Amino acid sequence: MIFKQLFDKATSTYTYLIASKKGREALIIDPVLENVENYIKLLNELNLKLVKVIDTHIHADHITGASKLKNQTNCVTIMGDHTPADAVEIKVKDEEIITLDQLRIKALHTPGHTSDSFSFLMNDCLFSGDTLLINGTGRTDFQNGSAEDAYDSIFNKLLKLPEETLVYPAHDYNGKKFSSIGNEKKFNPRLQVNNEKEYVKIMNGLNLPKPKLIDLNIASNIKLGAI
């Protein structure tokens, strides 16, 4: 397997490139529009064919590169089946398997940050989108977000994965590249609660500022970044 973690400094977004060494087929998770040419260059350098691109949810802080990647590579666009993006070609259901040559990636519906949020599990690697971050969790105050749903997704689904499962989030603002389920259970401050009520109180009290360009980004991302 080929695995590359790419970082967008402007939005602190992680994008992931995964490929099969044997078949040279690749997929990209959470691409950023401004970095599409860099992704194409990397694909060419590695002699890979991009066949699938996945967005974990409708992003508020950046515009996805999914549509531009499709136009340039003829790849298939994928999101979870709760997405409002009608432009997406394949909408996967909870626990549906996405294949990439011999690689298998399980889609997990993990609402809370947004109602359409999905995470993706490949072997011992969890691509958690904005649902579970390193020492944090995604805010729940827009796009039909719900602290109650987030608690259920995190505590009753993601944290029940083996503790050695590696966590690769869609963002990190402190230079950390990955974590593990075990580390997040022990050290993530937002997860040190006894019940849903305590978690909801934390999330409802964050009072975070509205993301810059949220309205423009969401409107574009519903069209998969088509401009």
Side-chain angles (χ1 to χ4, degrees):
M1 185 186 73
I2 297 169
F3 176 83
K4 298 289 183 181
Q5 183 180 36
L6 311 168
F7 187 65
D8 179 70
K9 291 183 179 179
T11 60
S12 297
T13 299
Y14 278 126
T15 297
Y16 300 94
L17 185 151
I18 301 163
S20 165
K21 280 189 176 181
K22 184 176 181 180
R24 313 308 294 181
E25 289 187 347
L27 70 79
I28 290 178
I29 299 174
D30 286 337
V32 176
L33 178 62
E34 289 81 1
N35 298 332
V36 166
E37 298 308 323
N38 291 333
Y39 306 149
I40 298 295
K41 181 181 178 182
L42 181 59
L43 289 162
N44 290 335
E45 288 175 353
L46 296 173
N47 189 29
L48 299 174
K49 176 178 175 56
L50 184 66
V51 296
K52 295 174 181 176
V53 59
I54 298 172
D55 274 303
T56 53
H57 62 290
I58 296 292
H59 304 280
D61 49 10
H62 70 271
I63 296 176
T64 176
S67 183
K68 189 172 182 179
L69 282 168
K70 175 176 175 54
N71 290 339
Q72 294 197 26
T73 68
N74 201 33
C75 64
V76 174
T77 56
I78 299 173
M79 292 188 74
D81 63 355
H82 287 67
T83 181
D86 291 335
V88 69
E89 294 171 282
I90 297 176
K91 296 182 179 182
V92 292
K93 298 178 180 180
D94 185 37
E95 298 196 351
E96 186 171 339
I97 301 297
I98 300 166
T99 59
L100 187 73
D101 286 339
Q102 298 91 353
L103 302 177
R104 293 166 59 85
I105 301 164
K106 181 186 286 189
L108 300 172
H109 185 213
T110 51
H113 171 62
T114 66
S115 58
D116 71 320
S117 291
F118 265 66
S119 301
F120 295 88
L121 180 65
M122 182 185 69
N123 299 328
D124 62 349
C125 297
L126 175 70
F127 302 96
S128 56
D130 285 18
T131 301
L132 178 60
L133 305 175
I134 301 172
N135 291 328
T137 57
R139 61 192 295 176
T140 58
D141 57 337
F142 54 68
Q143 287 182 265
N144 299 314
S146 163
E148 290 84 358
D149 287 347
Y151 179 89
D152 183 59
S153 294
I154 294 168
F155 283 87
N156 296 325
K157 186 169 284 188
L158 299 186
L159 295 187
K160 291 188 180 299
L161 294 171
E163 292 198 350
E164 61 270 20
T165 303
L166 298 177
V167 176
Y168 290 98
H171 296 282
D172 189 78
Y173 306 95
N174 300 297
K176 297 184 186 327
K177 292 186 175 182
F178 65 92
S179 182
S180 70
I181 292 297
N183 281 340
E184 294 311 302
K185 281 184 177 180
K186 294 176 184 177
F187 303 117
N188 189 320
R190 291 189 187 168
L191 305 185
Q192 309 311 307
V193 295
N194 295 311
N195 51 51
E196 178 186 289
K197 184 177 180 180
E198 290 182 7
Y199 182 78
V200 170
K201 182 178 180 180
I202 290 173
M203 299 308 292
N204 289 347
L206 294 179
N207 296 318
L208 296 171
K210 187 177 180 180
K212 296 178 181 178
L213 302 177
I214 180 174
D215 296 329
L216 174 64
N217 290 343
I218 290 174
S220 182
N221 287 332
I222 287 176
K223 301 177 181 178
L224 296 187
I227 55 175

